[in-house]
Amino acid sequence: NNNKVILSTYAVPFELNKENIKITHQNRPYKMRSEKFYNTKKVRYVPEAITNTGTVPSRSYTISAHQLFTYGKWVHEIPYDEELYFEGEEDSLALRSYTNGWDIFCPHEIICYHYYIRSGSKRHTDFDKTWYMKNDSSFERFHKILNNNLSGKFGLGSIRTLEHYT
């Protein structure tokens, strides 16, 4: 009954060559599974194939930029924080969305695929040799969000608490 819903998870990977597309893993929808905590209080998520897909999306608490569908008003209510470089951006979006009353769901079927490998293509670390400093700063900012020490549009919401997040 909530009109603030998000559909998001890791997209299924594929490879691309000159002749065809090849699905590289199980051709099943993914959910994001928490694998471990880094020493920075950041969670490492890994994709996990859904074995029992059911007929409706399942409740989730994670957001992936690979596959993110929602209403346009979300972009205004939960704007992208440009001070987060890489690590923590998706976690921040999930936490801020949840605490602002958004419900997150994982799709029960494959909606899209993602070209993860991009063999031979350059990555952000090839273009910006100071990326690791930006990433360190990003971790610091993420910790401010996580500890509710950042106010305003990039801080946590007031509709739900982090204690109710899980």
Side-chain angles (χ1 to χ4, degrees), residues 17-153:
N17 65 36
K18 292 179 182 178
E19 298 176 20
N20 60 17
I21 293 173
K22 176 185 172 191
I23 308 305
T24 59
H25 294 70
Q26 299 172 6
N27 197 14
R28 299 180 141 303
Y30 277 160
K31 63 180 175 181
M32 294 169 69
R33 180 176 58 81
S34 173
E35 181 181 58
K36 67 179 181 179
F37 279 94
Y38 291 111
N39 62 355
T40 60
K41 294 188 180 180
K42 165 83 174 65
V43 176
R44 173 174 167 72
Y45 294 105
V46 293
E48 181 175 271
I50 300 173
T51 54
N52 183 7
T53 58
T55 58
V56 296
S58 59
R59 181 69 145 208
S60 180
Y61 294 90
T62 57
I63 286 180
S64 170
H66 304 170
Q67 182 176 193
L68 174 58
F69 299 98
T70 190
Y71 295 102
K73 67 181 180 178
W74 176 81
V75 176
H76 300 287
E77 189 173 328
I78 315 295
Y80 185 82
D81 187 344
E82 293 179 9
E83 290 191 42
L84 292 174
Y85 178 70
F86 188 75
E87 292 290 345
E89 62 172 337
E90 293 168 326
D91 303 82
S92 166
L93 291 172
L95 293 171
R96 292 170 44 229
S97 295
Y98 178 83
T99 59
N100 277 286
W102 289 81
D103 291 326
I104 306 168
F105 293 89
C106 176
H108 64 291
E109 58 188 42
I110 296 172
I111 296 174
C112 64
Y113 296 88
H114 183 58
Y115 188 37
Y116 288 85
I117 305 301
R118 299 180 308 273
S119 296
S121 297
K122 292 189 181 251
R123 301 185 185 275
H124 67 99
T125 55
D126 296 320
F127 296 103
D128 186 348
K129 298 304 179 191
T130 63
W131 72 268
Y132 62 93
M133 291 187 287
K134 292 175 183 174
N135 213 41
D136 288 345
S137 176
S138 185
F139 270 122
E140 289 175 24
R141 183 152 176 100
F142 177 66
H143 282 216
K144 286 181 183 177
I145 296 166
L146 190 60
N147 293 317
N148 205 12
N149 291 330
L150 188 65
S151 59
K153 64 183 179 180

Side-chain angles (χ1 to χ4, degrees), residues 149-162:
N149 291 330
L150 188 65
S151 59
K153 64 183 179 180
F154 298 119
L156 297 176
S158 60
I159 295 174
R160 296 177 181 149
T161 66
L162 280 184

